[in-house]
């Protein structure tokens, strides 16, 4: 088992609460601890608390972000950058703490050069940056995704190597749970027993689980969240921490998958994002997103032919009241959330659809508008009681070929009342293509839409091909 002590900073803060300035004349603090820990705590209680830099422990992610923003464009830039940090000031003051062999200028220079060399080499192996001519550094796609979403470079490397074109929901949950962001998830005394009991009720079996592993714990907590299982107060707090990181990690997952051009796993990752926010499985009834709905009521509604929020809103008042059998206050809650549920009208058109040739840029114009929304009221608040933080609505517009499992184009948008979006992609080889246009929400289930997008691509024009031939002759 892994036991975690309170950090010294937390203990000092708790002690400070025992004697409030200008309020209490004195204060008492009783510290109960293991006998060998007494000298350790006594030292920090009676002596000034030293502050040291931990930049060297997190330098990879820091340096990746600086390369992406072009602050660091060479190894020399990276060394110069470090000379402006707090760590550089502490190197000479406490050299043993930083494993420094000496405090001379030569020792400092060698130490920083070695630190930069190993850090940038690790980032290059993770395919986050490229090193040219042994000195110049430039960002790569994975590095940009990691720095944009504040994700550790080891996590983005894991996503890149583990995600495949055939990855399904179970694989996505396992890969998500393996992220380095969950390394610090605490495992308390005898908590592995509780996790084992929860895992027995999880639909997705975990291969050879070790219940004292924080990544297995993250997997179990996610599945318990989707199944709406009672987990207790401490595990509920851990679940909130997992969910807070999971939505950010899933957006990065979608970006990695779309960079590889894989449609099916990208759609599954978007669905997983919805599941995290609403706390339900993708196969569950969308009605479970409404207040006062449980699985029994959702099953009864399905038997009556009501399978979606839109079906419920289309019912006559008398029929709805007879089905739900709720109090007026509960009906008002249901009506408030149902009216906030996004109902988006989509219109799309391919620009110059009859003149598309192979290699041309295909432009698809998409117009989005919310139905039944008051312009003065604006976008309604998101209803996500099982998510630990206030959430803003986000959408993905995707063009893909489901038969070939190919993702052609993707754009993430925020939708107010209306939006006009332009999607561009390169025309493929000549032929007829049956693409699909998807509009997918990142937090509500059951409101996604898909439309057929037929595209006929002709041969490249004679004039263009002639120009290419003459260019080759030159």
């Amino acid at each position: 088992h892994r036991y975690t002590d309170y950090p010294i900073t937390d203990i000092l803060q708790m002690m400070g609460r025992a004697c409030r300035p200008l309020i209490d004349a004195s204060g008492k603090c009783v510290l109960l601890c293991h006998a060998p820990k007494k000298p350790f705590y006594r030292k920090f209680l009676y002596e000034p608390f030293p502050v040291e830099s931990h930049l060297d422990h997190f330098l990879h992610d820091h340096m990746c972000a600086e390369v992406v923003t072009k602050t660091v464009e060479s190894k020399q830039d990276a060394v110069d950058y470090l000379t402006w940090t707090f760590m550089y000031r502490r190197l000479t003051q406490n050299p043993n703490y930083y494993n420094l062999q000496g405090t001379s200028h030569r020792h400092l220079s060698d130490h920083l050069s070695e630190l930069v060399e190993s850090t940038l080499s690790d980032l290059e192996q993770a395919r986050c940056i490229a090193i040219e001519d042994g000195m110049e550094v430039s960002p790569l796609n994975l590095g940009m995704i990691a720095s944009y979403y504040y994700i550790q470079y080891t996590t983005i490397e894991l996503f890149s190597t583990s995600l495949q074109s055939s990855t399904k929901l179970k694989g996505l949950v396992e890969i998500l749970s393996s992220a380095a962001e969950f390394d610090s998830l605490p495992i308390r005394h005898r908590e592995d027993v509780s996790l084992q009991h929860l895992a027995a009720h999880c639909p997705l079996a975990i291969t050879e689980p070790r219940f004292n592993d924080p990544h297995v714990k993250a997997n179990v907590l996610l599945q318990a969240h989707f199944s709406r299982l009672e987990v207790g107060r401490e595990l509920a707090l851990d679940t909130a921490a997992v969910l807070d990181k999971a939505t950010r990690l899933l957006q990065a997952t979608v970006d990695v998958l779309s960079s590889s051009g894989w449609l099916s796993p990208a759609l599954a990752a978007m669905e997983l994002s919805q599941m995290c926010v609403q706390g339900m499985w993708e196969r569950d009834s969308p009605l479970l997103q409404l207040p006062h709905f449980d699985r029994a009521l959702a099953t009864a509604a399905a038997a009556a032919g009501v399978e979606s929020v839109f079906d419920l809103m289309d019912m006559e008042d008398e029929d709805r009241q007879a089905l739900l059998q709720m109090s007026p206050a509960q009906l008002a809650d249901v009506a408030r959330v149902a009216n906030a549920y996004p109902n988006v009208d989509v219109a799309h058109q391919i620009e110059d659809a009859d003149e598309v040739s192979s290699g041309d840029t295909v432009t698809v114009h998409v117009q989005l508008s919310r139905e039944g929304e008051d312009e003065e009221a604006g976008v309604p608040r998101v209803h996500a009681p099982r998510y630990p933080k206030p959430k803003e609505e986000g959408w993905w517009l995707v063009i893909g070929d489901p038969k070939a499992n190919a993702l052609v184009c993707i754009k993430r948008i925020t939708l107010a009342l209306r939006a006009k979006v332009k999607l561009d992609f390169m025309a493929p080889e000549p032929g007829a293509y049956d693409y699909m246009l998807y509009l997918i929400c990142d937090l509500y289930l059951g409101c996604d839409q898909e439309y057929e997008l037929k595209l006929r691509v002709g041969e490249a024009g004679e004039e263009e091909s002639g120009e290419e031939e003459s260019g080759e002759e030159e």
Side-chain angles (χ1 to χ4, degrees), residues 28-341:
K28 288 184 179 179
C29 175
V30 179
L31 190 62
L32 304 176
C33 65
H34 193 209
K37 291 270 185 178
K38 277 186 179 180
F40 173 76
Y41 284 120
R42 191 178 292 118
K43 172 181 170 60
F44 285 107
L45 295 181
Y46 294 113
E47 295 180 17
F49 187 65
V51 178
E52 297 293 351
S53 171
H54 279 205
L55 178 61
D56 49 337
H57 297 279
F58 304 95
L59 189 57
H60 291 81
D61 303 316
H62 200 73
M63 199 58 70
C64 180
E66 298 302 340
V67 171
V68 170
T69 57
K70 304 288 187 183
T71 305
V72 172
E73 295 185 318
S74 68
K75 290 182 179 179
Q76 187 57 49
D77 287 348
V79 174
D80 294 343
Y81 181 85
L82 289 179
T83 62
W84 291 90
T85 61
F86 176 65
M87 182 185 73
Y88 182 73
R89 296 287 175 268
R90 293 299 303 169
L91 282 173
T92 54
Q93 303 298 317
N94 194 355
N96 290 335
Y97 183 84
Y98 299 97
N99 296 321
L100 200 62
Q101 302 302 316
T103 56
S104 67
H105 181 74
R106 179 65 183 271
H107 283 106
L108 278 175
S109 179
D110 289 348
H111 180 77
L112 291 180
S113 297
E114 186 180 334
L115 189 60
V116 165
E117 191 73 40
S118 63
T119 300
L120 294 181
S121 177
D122 290 343
L123 288 173
E124 184 185 33
Q125 289 178 7
R127 291 185 294 159
C128 289
I129 65 169
I131 301 177
E132 299 162 11
D133 302 328
M135 283 298 290
E136 304 298 318
V137 294
S138 57
L140 297 178
N141 185 51
L142 292 179
M144 294 179 187
I145 295 173
S147 62
Y148 184 80
Y149 293 109
Y150 297 100
I151 288 172
Q152 295 182 36
Y153 85 102
T154 49
T155 298
I156 209 72
E157 182 184 18
L158 170 76
F159 287 176
S160 175
T161 54
S162 302
L163 292 167
Q164 304 293 331
S165 60
S166 57
T167 303
K168 300 288 192 296
L169 179 65
K170 180 182 178 182
L172 281 172
V173 173
E174 288 178 351
I175 293 168
L176 175 66
S177 305
S178 301
E181 276 69 13
F182 300 128
D183 286 349
S184 58
L185 200 61
I187 304 289
R188 302 175 189 86
H189 183 49
R190 293 193 61 79
E191 200 171 65
D192 53 332
V193 179
S194 305
L195 293 173
Q196 191 169 359
H197 289 318
L198 282 174
H201 296 91
C202 291
L204 304 178
I206 303 172
T207 310
E208 297 180 3
R210 290 185 296 115
F211 292 104
N212 57 356
D213 181 347
H215 301 286
V216 172
K217 177 177 178 177
N219 191 326
V220 172
L221 290 181
L222 281 172
Q223 293 198 56
H225 174 66
F226 303 150
S227 301
R228 300 190 173 182
L229 302 175
E230 291 294 329
V231 295
R233 182 176 173 277
E234 287 184 328
L235 287 179
L237 292 172
D238 292 337
T239 302
V242 169
L243 291 173
D244 185 30
K245 295 175 181 177
T247 46
R248 193 174 77 247
L249 290 167
L250 282 169
Q251 290 184 10
T253 303
V254 171
D255 284 8
V256 172
L257 288 166
S258 58
S259 300
S260 300
W262 297 326
L263 178 65
S264 178
L267 295 178
M270 296 173 193
E271 213 166 47
L272 185 53
S273 175
Q274 299 170 352
M275 291 160 53
C276 286
V277 175
Q278 294 298 337
M280 52 190 282
W281 293 96
E282 86 288 355
R283 57 179 176 271
D284 290 337
S285 169
L287 295 172
L288 290 176
Q289 297 169 102
L290 299 175
H292 313 300
F293 264 79
D294 55 18
R295 297 185 189 279
L297 183 54
T299 303
V306 179
E307 296 185 349
S308 70
V309 177
F310 302 119
D311 293 341
L312 186 70
M313 294 171 70
D314 291 340
M315 293 179 74
E316 296 294 334
D317 290 348
E318 296 81 6
D319 296 338
R320 191 186 301 117
Q321 290 174 5
L323 173 65
L324 302 182
Q325 295 181 354
M326 292 180 180
S327 67
Q330 290 175 324
L331 286 171
D333 288 342
V334 172
R336 175 178 54 80
V337 176
N339 289 330
Y341 192 73

Side-chain angles (χ1 to χ4, degrees), residues 342-358:
N343 186 6
V344 181
D345 187 35
V346 181
H348 60 88
Q349 183 180 10
I350 301 175
E351 187 178 296
D352 300 328
D354 299 331
E355 302 174 7
V356 177
S357 301
S358 180

